[in-house]
Amino acid sequence: MASSKSQTIEDIFHGSSGKVFASLARLLGDLDLAEDAMQEAFASAFIQWPREGIPDNPTAWLISTGRFKAIDLIRRQARLTERASEIAKRLENVRGVNESKNSTAIEDDQLRLIFTCCHPAIASEIQVPLTLREVCRLTTEEIASAFLTTPTTMAQRLVRGKAKIREAGIPIEIPDRDELPERLDGVLVVIYLIFNEGYSASAGQTLIRGDLTTEAIRLCRLVLALCPDAEVMGLLALMLLHESRRNARTDEAGDIVLLDDQDRSLWDQTLIREGRELVAQAFATRHVGPYTLQAAISALHAEAPTADKTDWVQIVGLYDLLSQVSPGPIVKLNRAVAVAMRNGPAAGLFQIDSLLEHGELSNYALAHSARGELLSRIGRFSDARKAFQTAMRLSKQSSEQRFLAKKLSELDSRNS
């Protein structure tokens, strides 16, 4: 019984740690103190809850306990007199700011902290990784994977980001409405990366983390209510259209089902309709950005009744536009795959080989997997095997590894 309760507490930790940390950070005004207080609160939960039962509102219990633990931590450090007055003043200031802006407040601590981490005083290359770590509780490894860099490099950036907040005295408070636009780009990047980590987890046993995709969509709806910007519409549309395919993306064993092979009757038509409506609204503003273009591409996939009837000509055209406004290596890879579908595998393979030769995606498993698929389609089975083996070596995701193992097995059967 105790083991079952411990597992439940662990589930609560994974599900609510972001909310608990964000609320403690707002209340305490100190990221490091909030981190320590949260860990102390969860340690207390592991001791008390199995004996006393899990509270009706565990998140509120953890936040309340964390506030008291923060003072305990200060006492242990023998700085009670000095720091207690500082914390009390901070709490009063934050409370006053929040109450004074009640009519325009961001009614969500996590979103409030996201905007704080995206403060213009923080270097742009640090804003997003810092927010993913401090607000969304992603691991350094997960964040490094999203930015195609090493965990060591990413850890150094995170340390610099936290030091900047501390040294510059950046307050954790609600920004005025006129301050929101200058932080919007960073906020949208954060939300999109949260969604991507949930849509295709960088590591672990399962491909999909529904808690992260749901949270990203929730946060984006809040941002849209604050800032009815075309790109916010585009991002929400993109996530809804991707989310509509969740039930078809894996089979009963949790193995990957590629888009062309998915049972389209499992796609959520309600999410698709909302996504398409948002795309239309975003295009109507005539301020079309990268999220809206990606959403338009996803909408074309959603509109196709079968894989064979996908409008690859229009999709490549949209990727051409996307390459102009957001010329990143992942966009180039996705365009290469679309070109392969429009013009044949050899045409797409040429573009992927060019990307890999330039080293842009040499450590990206999906690039080698896509290359292996195209090599297989043109009959270069030996080269395809090498590409899939490289992808297998680079992948840290169990379902991806099973998918690649299946591809290698199919090649072995073909050669036997």
Side-chain angles (χ1 to χ4, degrees):
M1 187 67 176
S3 175
S4 175
K5 286 185 178 180
S6 295
Q7 184 60 49
T8 301
I9 296 170
E10 289 178 9
D11 293 340
I12 291 171
F13 177 85
H14 291 300
S16 66
S17 60
K19 295 182 178 66
V20 173
F21 176 81
S23 294
L24 288 173
R26 173 176 60 84
L27 291 166
L28 302 171
D30 186 313
L31 296 184
D32 289 328
L33 183 59
E35 177 76 37
D36 292 342
M38 182 185 70
Q39 297 296 338
E40 291 279 340
F42 272 104
S44 294
F46 270 99
I47 294 171
Q48 293 179 228
W49 290 0
R51 182 176 64 245
E52 301 172 6
I54 295 174
D56 292 336
N57 189 335
T59 300
W61 187 97
L62 289 162
I63 293 169
S64 178
T65 301
R67 292 174 66 182
F68 289 108
K69 291 295 182 182
I71 301 300
D72 290 341
L73 287 165
I74 296 169
R75 182 181 294 114
R76 284 184 222 156
Q77 295 165 6
R79 297 201 303 267
L80 179 59
T81 303
E82 174 190 346
R83 292 292 302 278
S85 59
E86 177 188 336
I87 294 297
K89 183 178 179 181
R90 235 183 245 159
L91 287 170
E92 191 59 36
N93 287 342
V94 172
R95 187 178 299 110
V97 169
N98 288 348
E99 290 174 355
S100 68
K101 298 182 181 180
N102 188 53
S103 61
T104 58
I106 301 173
E107 298 297 340
D108 185 281
D109 280 336
Q110 284 181 286
L111 189 59
R112 180 181 292 109
L113 191 50
I114 288 174
F115 273 108
T116 299
C117 289
C118 292
H119 192 284
I122 301 173
S124 58
E125 69 271 15
I126 295 176
Q127 289 179 0
V128 174
L130 179 66
T131 311
L132 292 173
R133 179 70 191 99
E134 299 303 324
V135 181
C136 309
R137 317 308 295 164
L138 297 187
T139 67
T140 302
E141 289 74 19
E142 289 170 338
I143 300 168
S145 174
F147 283 84
L148 305 180
T149 190
T150 66
T152 301
T153 299
M154 184 53 63
Q156 293 170 346
R157 292 182 192 174
L158 295 173
V159 169
R160 290 198 301 271
K162 291 179 72 174
K164 179 64 177 179
I165 288 179
R166 183 174 59 254
E167 294 164 4
I170 296 172
I172 300 174
E173 61 183 27
I174 298 168
D176 289 318
R177 278 189 178 275
D178 59 1
E179 296 175 322
L180 298 181
E182 66 181 346
R183 307 190 199 185
L184 188 59
D185 287 347
V187 169
L188 295 185
V189 170
V190 167
I191 292 174
Y192 190 33
L193 288 175
I194 296 170
F195 183 86
N196 280 344
E197 181 61 29
Y199 185 77
S200 184
S202 58
Q205 297 298 312
T206 58
L207 176 70
I208 301 168
R209 290 184 58 183
D211 59 327
L212 291 181
T213 58
T214 299
E215 179 66 6
I217 290 170
R218 184 185 73 84
L219 290 170
C220 197
R221 291 190 189 279
L222 289 173
V223 175
L224 183 59
L226 287 165
C227 304
D229 180 269
E231 274 295 81
V232 184
M233 297 178 198
L235 177 56
L236 181 56
L238 176 61
M239 294 190 298
L240 290 172
L241 289 163
H242 282 338
E243 184 75 350
S244 72
R245 300 197 291 268
R246 184 202 288 191
N247 292 336
R249 292 182 57 233
T250 55
D251 60 20
E252 293 181 356
D255 291 336
I256 294 173
V257 180
L258 295 179
L259 179 63
D260 287 357
D261 301 322
Q262 288 175 14
D263 180 354
R264 300 187 177 214
S265 69
L266 297 176
W267 290 2
D268 188 323
Q269 295 301 315
T270 300
L271 295 182
I272 290 173
R273 281 193 296 272
E274 184 181 0
R276 291 177 62 185
E277 288 170 4
L278 285 165
V279 170
Q281 292 174 28
F283 269 93
T285 69
R286 299 185 180 278
H287 296 288
V288 178
Y291 296 119
T292 301
L293 289 170
Q294 291 177 76
I297 292 168
S298 190
L300 286 172
H301 285 295
E303 291 168 8
T306 63
D308 293 340
K309 295 185 178 180
T310 303
D311 189 345
W312 289 108
V313 173
Q314 193 170 348
I315 287 176
V316 172
L318 286 169
Y319 271 122
D320 289 338
L321 292 174
L322 183 59
S323 297
Q324 294 177 27
V325 300
S326 182
I330 303 298
V331 171
K332 293 177 183 177
L333 174 63
N334 290 337
R335 183 187 181 279
V337 173
V339 167
M341 298 302 294
R342 184 189 67 177
N343 298 344
L349 180 63
F350 177 80
Q351 295 190 12
I352 292 177
D353 282 344
S354 178
L355 283 171
L356 292 173
E357 285 171 9
H358 284 84
E360 293 178 286
L361 296 173
S362 57
N363 292 319
Y364 189 52
L366 293 182
H368 294 279
S369 178
R371 182 172 184 268
E373 181 64 32
L374 297 182
L375 286 167
S376 179
R377 291 184 185 184
I378 62 176
R380 291 172 55 184
F381 302 125
S382 177
D383 290 335
R385 180 176 181 79
K386 292 177 183 177
F388 284 132
Q389 286 174 332
T390 300
M392 175 82 84
R393 176 174 52 82
L394 293 171
S395 177
K396 298 178 181 178
Q397 219 291 319
S398 296
S399 57
E400 283 182 2
Q401 292 169 351
R402 292 195 300 272
F403 172 81
L404 293 166
K406 182 178 179 181
K407 287 291 183 180
L408 289 168
S409 178
E410 289 172 355
L411 287 175
D412 289 341
S413 298
R414 191 188 299 269
N415 292 330
S416 60

